[in-house]
């Protein structure tokens, strides 16, 4: 039996496979702490069975109830779901490592504004969908099209509507950029889960639309080039360890 922590992630056809912003939060957390772990890839339709296998309760009360990331830590024989709970667990269990919730940071952790990022979802969902492996792609399309009541391609078609969505995403990024004004990280020089959250969203975009795409190049120009320098700070923690 391996004594490594297992990180369960959803694979894709992208280089290095990892794409999910929520799983990136857990991966960044593990990498920042320098903990040893391995990645096990689980396709969307198999996540529920994984929860049963690990005797885990559903993460969310509503659909989707079974989500990744999940980690299993053999040293405590615990399985934990939900990226923020994983980060809290790692802080509590490995207190000698970089803390994701340093004292005084709690108030700053609610960086994710679901409304502001709604437009980002419209743009990203169809892109994410085609990057997935066929079995997950079918599941993702079915569940998301049910949720939004339209074909994914209709969420943000190229043209005026997509430009409008990018504009709103840019505004949301502007709000986050103001929190980072004159600082390396949200707390100043100290990295925290707030930064892990921001970096995970940015990385989802960068990896999914491609670093060479015009859309990514546009984002790099936003807020005085803030996003390429910000994400560069995470380079050493961007490793996908399998
Ligand atoms: N609050 C959760 C959200 C996780 C989440 O939504 N994960 C997505 C992948 S990005 C998922 O596993 N969805 C499963 C599904 O749609 O069935 C967390 O941060 O861990």
């Amino acid at each position: 039996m391996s004594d490594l922590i297992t990180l369960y992630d959803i694979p894709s056809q992208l280089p290095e496979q990892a794409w999910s912003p929520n799983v990136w939060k857990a991966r960044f957390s593990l990498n920042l702490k320098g903990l040893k772990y391995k990645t096990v890839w689980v396709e969307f339709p198999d996540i529920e069975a994984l929860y049963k296998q690990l005797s885990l309760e559903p993460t969310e009360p509503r659909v989707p109830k079974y989500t990744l990331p999940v980690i299993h830590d053999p040293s405590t024989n615990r399985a934990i779901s939900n990226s923020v709970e994983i980060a809290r667990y790692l802080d509590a269990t490995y207190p000698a490592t970089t803390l994701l919730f340093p004292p005084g940071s709690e108030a700053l952790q609610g960086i994710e504004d679901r409304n502001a990022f709604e437009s980002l979802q419209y743009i990203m969902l169809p892109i994410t969908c085609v990057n997935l492996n066929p079995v997950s792609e079918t599941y993702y399309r079915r569940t998301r099209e049910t949720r939004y009541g339209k074909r994914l391609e209709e969420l943000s078609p190229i043209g005026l509507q997509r430009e409008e969505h990018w504009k709103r995403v840019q505004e949301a990024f502007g709000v986050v950029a103001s929190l980072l004004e004159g600082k390396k990280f949200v707390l100043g020089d100290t990295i925290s889960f707030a930064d892990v959250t921001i970096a995970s969203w940015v990385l989802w975009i960068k990896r999914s639309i491609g670093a060479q795409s015009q859309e990514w190049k546009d984002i790099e120009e936003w807020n005085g080039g803030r996003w390429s320098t910000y994400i560069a700070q995470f380079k050493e923690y961007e490793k996908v360890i399998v």
Side-chain angles (χ1 to χ4, degrees), residues 18-32 69 83-84 87 100 111-112 117 120-121 124 128 173 176 191-208 216 227 230-232 234 237-238:
W19 61 274
S20 156
N22 292 308
V23 181
W24 266 108
K25 293 178 207 164
R27 176 177 287 104
F28 272 137
S29 298
L30 289 159
N31 287 347
L32 266 158
S83 50
V84 67
L100 297 157
I111 212 96
E112 254 169 317
F117 281 96
L120 182 60
Q121 302 278 356
M124 293 302 297
T128 295
F173 271 62
V176 179
I191 202 163
S192 72
F193 195 70
D195 299 289
V196 164
T197 301
I198 300 167
S200 298
W201 284 96
V202 176
L203 208 62
W204 177 36
I205 305 173
K206 183 181 176 186
R207 288 192 171 226
S208 302
W216 173 253
W227 302 108
Y230 185 73
I231 203 75
F234 290 82
Y237 310 117
E238 213 187 300

Side-chain angles (χ1 to χ4, degrees), residues 10 19-20 22 44 47 60 64 66-69 82-83 139 144:
I10 304 157
W19 61 274
S20 156
N22 292 308
F44 267 107
I47 299 175
E60 313 281 347
Y66 305 96
T67 62
L68 294 187
N82 208 349
S83 50
Y139 171 96
R144 272 58 181 176

Side-chain angles (χ1 to χ4, degrees), residues 118-144:
E118 186 78 17
S119 299
L120 182 60
Q121 302 278 356
Y122 294 149
I123 298 168
M124 293 302 297
L125 258 51
I127 298 170
T128 295
C129 188
V130 296
N131 287 337
L132 296 171
N133 291 325
V135 61
S136 283
E137 182 184 351
T138 307
Y139 171 96
Y140 196 80
R141 178 175 291 284
R142 177 172 48 77
T143 52
R144 272 58 181 176

Side-chain angles (χ1 to χ4, degrees), residues 116-131 140 148 151-171 173 201 204-206 208-209 213 215-216 219 222:
F117 281 96
E118 186 78 17
S119 299
L120 182 60
Q121 302 278 356
Y122 294 149
I123 298 168
M124 293 302 297
L125 258 51
I127 298 170
T128 295
C129 188
V130 296
N131 287 337
Y140 196 80
Y148 288 94
R151 280 184 59 76
L152 290 182
E153 288 70 16
E154 290 164 14
L155 287 177
S156 191
I158 305 268
L160 273 182
Q161 201 175 356
R162 195 185 188 83
E163 280 167 31
E164 187 54 36
H165 286 153
W166 274 122
K167 223 171 90 198
R168 280 197 234 132
V169 174
Q170 187 172 1
E171 280 161 18
F173 271 62
W201 284 96
W204 177 36
I205 305 173
K206 183 181 176 186
S208 302
I209 65 178
S213 68
E215 287 178 320
W216 173 253
I219 294 172
W222 293 352

